Amino acid sequence: MPTDLENFVNQDGRDEAVRQVRRQIDEKGVTYIYYQFVSVTGRIMGKGVPAEHWERMTEKGFQLVYGSTANLFIDRKGDYIGYGPDAWELVGLPDVETFQILPWDPQTARVFCTLFRGREEEQDPGAYLTSDCRGNLARIHAEFERETGMHLRVGTEPEMMWLKLNPDGTPSVEGKTKPFCYHIDQFAELQPLIHRVLEYCKAMGLDMIQGDHEDAPGQLELNWQFDRAEQTADRLTTYRQICKQVGREMGAFPCFMPKPFMGVSANSCHHNISLWQGDTNMFLPDTDNPRMPGKIGLSALGGILEHLDALVCVTAPTVNSYRRLWDTGFWAPVYANWGFQNRTTTVRVSAPGRFEYKATDSSVNPYLSFAALIQAMGDGIARNIDPGPPENRNSYEVSTGQATHKIPMNLGDALAALERDQVVRSALPGEMYTIFEHYKRDEWERFCATVTEWDINEYLDILP
Ligand SMILES: NC(=O)CC[C@H](N)C(=O)O
């Protein structure tokens, strides 16, 4: 039996795609290539290799310790994950069609890679590496498509803040002016940055469609055309890489932390989702009510609400994510509810055939969140789960007793919900759950064990 790795290398048409990239390398004078993958927290990891080795790399790939999928993390008790004595080597092989030249450094290109267990491992050599979030999404999505005939398309709303730098190069959180959402004058202040970001996005295949200043200092949202889940996840990763580069070039700091400032809006990353059969949107209404999603849409919605507690762990994955939920009044969700054009609900039917999932922020790993949404919606459709009636009230004025269900309001509760939910956990197969759980549990415990300025202010003079 050929291994997953061997099948990958021998895919139909891959040789020709490899030759086409070689032609680009030679014509454009590319000398160096980044072989990239994405870690559990959404960081871009990988190796750089001179371009003359392109052909060899497409067959042999690069080798790396597998703990790199967990940012080479050591937990607070000093335990290694993924690179202790029992760790194994991963092999990364390029997805040749993702090869792109970096517009800011045309001698350098990047290509995304799929990860495998090393060829010499005792157990499952050459099998897909289950801690590869990018590979997992592709496989989970393909399985969903095989079973249901449908695929997920997503458009994201990646909010982030451009911060000025202090003279010593650290990001400044001072000198904020009062922000106004959708204010063109403040948007214009960022225009030099925006031009540069758009130029790079266009060169890297992002079809940029609109943008605006949001309601926090320097808070920008730039959108590109929605697409299949895998493409959108790769583009969001590319967008983040572009922002980082533009920040370096223009002396600003692109801040993707969900809630850096109290009392102003946070950085969300709403997911606009729809399921398609071929080119037919399956969320479109199928009754006389033009606002009501069709049968598939409603049960997909039912699945999301049923699994929301566990989903939140994946889509709001940091301690800081929950500051966004607590500091209410800035359009962040609090209850497991949905509504038509109701910006205070967790899922908003924002247009016929489209749901805006809002329990997610700028720290999200899109490969994990899209896979988790696929599994939750798949369960909703399989079990025909009823999402209940739409919420028309302002969620912030509804008391817990009157509402359906409050979503987890801290990472610890969200982790407990994920542990119980086999459907959402199936989006983090094998090692992926082990790594995610270990990493996030450690993050939560480190937070709980930290004595902060708030503790001192509140309790130092507590008695007598
Ligand atoms: N325009 C918007 O939708 C704002 C969203 C808001 N920033 C949030 O954190 O949810």
Side-chain angles (χ1 to χ4, degrees):
M1 272 283 275
T3 62
D4 294 332
L5 188 154
E6 285 158 355
N7 285 334
F8 184 88
V9 171
N10 296 324
Q11 279 167 84
D12 288 345
R14 191 160 182 269
D15 289 351
E16 179 46 33
V18 169
R19 281 193 290 275
Q20 274 177 20
V21 169
R22 164 54 64 195
R23 282 196 284 277
Q24 268 197 70
I25 292 172
D26 293 343
E27 275 164 26
K28 304 272 167 58
V30 173
T31 60
Y32 207 66
I33 302 172
Y34 299 153
Y35 293 81
Q36 295 185 170
F37 62 96
V38 177
S39 79
V40 64
T41 61
R43 273 199 196 285
I44 304 170
M45 315 290 283
K47 279 192 171 176
V49 179
E52 55 266 33
H53 298 295
W54 168 244
E55 287 77 8
R56 182 175 64 80
M57 288 299 290
T58 62
E59 287 192 11
K60 297 269 176 267
F62 66 83
Q63 216 164 305
L64 206 60
V65 59
Y66 105 103
S68 52
T69 59
N71 303 331
L72 293 184
F73 140 82
I74 306 176
D75 71 14
R76 74 192 184 104
K77 299 182 195 103
D79 286 339
Y80 295 83
I81 178 141
Y83 65 113
D86 55 347
W88 59 76
E89 288 286 291
L90 64 79
V91 172
L93 281 160
D95 288 308
V96 178
E97 69 287 355
T98 66
F99 176 92
Q100 281 183 318
I101 295 170
L102 300 179
W104 55 87
D105 176 11
Q107 268 186 278
T108 308
R110 72 100 172 91
V111 66
F112 284 110
C113 296
T114 294
L115 306 181
F116 302 84
R117 294 169 65 96
R119 294 176 177 85
E120 277 83 47
E121 295 306 326
E122 255 172 58
Q123 223 190 326
D124 299 331
Y128 286 122
L129 190 79
T130 50
S131 58
D132 172 19
C133 59
R134 206 176 152 273
N136 284 343
L137 171 62
R139 292 187 288 278
I140 286 166
H141 201 187
E143 193 185 324
F144 176 78
E145 203 167 4
R146 259 195 313 276
E147 280 173 10
T148 66
M150 293 185 285
H151 65 272
L152 171 66
R153 297 189 191 177
V154 194
T156 54
E157 300 177 25
E159 295 177 341
M160 43 80 66
M161 294 164 193
W162 285 101
L163 305 182
K164 292 184 176 144
L165 294 183
N166 294 316
D168 68 356
T170 55
S172 163
V173 292
E174 303 297 330
K176 293 173 275 170
T177 52
K178 185 177 171 356
F180 301 103
C181 201
Y182 309 132
H183 190 209
I184 283 291
D185 192 53
Q186 291 186 337
F187 193 56
E189 229 188 304
L190 295 169
Q191 198 58 61
L193 279 162
I194 297 170
H195 280 311
R196 191 72 61 87
V197 171
L198 291 185
E199 178 194 328
Y200 293 162
C201 285
K202 200 170 164 200
M204 297 194 77
L206 279 70
D207 179 8
M208 304 306 284
I209 49 173
Q210 60 177 5
D212 64 85
H213 195 287
E214 292 282 328
D215 46 359
Q219 193 181 30
L220 198 67
E221 175 184 325
L222 298 177
N223 313 100
W224 54 93
Q225 192 60 263
F226 75 109
D227 207 335
R228 272 187 73 102
E230 297 86 338
Q231 263 73 28
T232 297
D234 279 354
R235 286 176 192 145
L236 181 57
T237 305
T238 301
Y239 178 74
R240 291 167 170 176
Q241 203 166 9
I242 286 172
C243 289
K244 198 74 191 193
Q245 173 61 25
V246 170
R248 269 196 293 268
E249 288 175 17
M250 306 198 69
F253 181 79
C255 175
F256 289 97
M257 179 177 171
K259 183 85 177 178
F261 308 119
M262 282 191 278
V264 289
S265 200
N267 288 317
S268 58
C269 185
H270 298 168
H271 294 359
N272 290 285
I273 53 178
S274 44
L275 289 176
W276 296 69
Q277 195 153 43
D279 279 325
T280 305
N281 182 337
M282 302 302 286
F283 282 4
L284 283 171
D286 57 11
T287 61
D288 291 343
N289 183 345
R291 271 152 59 102
M292 192 57 87
K295 187 170 178 295
I296 295 283
L298 281 176
S299 49
L301 201 45
I304 291 174
L305 295 181
E306 168 113 352
H307 295 289
L308 190 59
D309 289 4
L311 280 172
V312 165
C313 189
V314 177
T315 60
T318 60
V319 166
N320 184 252
S321 298
Y322 297 83
R323 311 266 193 241
R324 169 173 173 257
L325 307 185
W326 277 104
D327 199 4
T328 56
F330 301 103
W331 302 350
V334 268
Y335 294 115
N337 55 8
W338 71 283
F340 301 113
Q341 296 308 3
N342 185 345
R343 285 182 161 75
T344 69
T345 54
T346 291
V347 186
R348 175 170 74 106
V349 177
S350 50
R354 189 174 76 206
F355 304 159
E356 182 187 45
Y357 174 85
K358 297 167 62 226
T360 184
D361 60 62
S362 53
S363 65
V364 71
N365 175 335
Y367 302 96
L368 298 183
S369 63
F370 298 170
L373 282 166
I374 287 172
Q375 299 304 62
M377 288 192 289
D379 189 51
I381 293 165
R383 292 168 49 213
N384 198 12
I385 299 176
D386 178 2
E391 177 61 85
N392 302 316
R393 297 169 296 182
N394 179 341
S395 302
Y396 306 137
E397 288 167 4
V398 173
S399 66
T400 306
Q402 297 172 295
T404 41
H405 177 80
K406 196 154 190 173
I407 62 179
M409 294 297 280
N410 63 58
L411 186 58
D413 287 351
L415 278 163
L418 179 63
E419 191 174 4
R420 290 190 298 268
D421 191 318
Q422 293 307 324
V423 170
V424 178
R425 274 180 62 170
S426 68
L428 296 92
E431 278 292 318
M432 191 72 241
Y433 178 73
T434 313
I435 284 185
F436 184 89
E437 207 280 333
H438 192 152
Y439 196 104
K440 291 294 160 186
R441 174 82 48 204
D442 184 71
E443 186 173 326
W444 171 243
E445 288 177 358
R446 277 187 293 117
F447 166 71
C448 290
T450 302
V451 177
T452 65
E453 216 178 294
W454 187 91
D455 293 73
I456 300 296
N457 291 339
E458 193 81 9
Y459 304 121
L460 194 64
D461 194 19
I462 190 172
L463 284 171

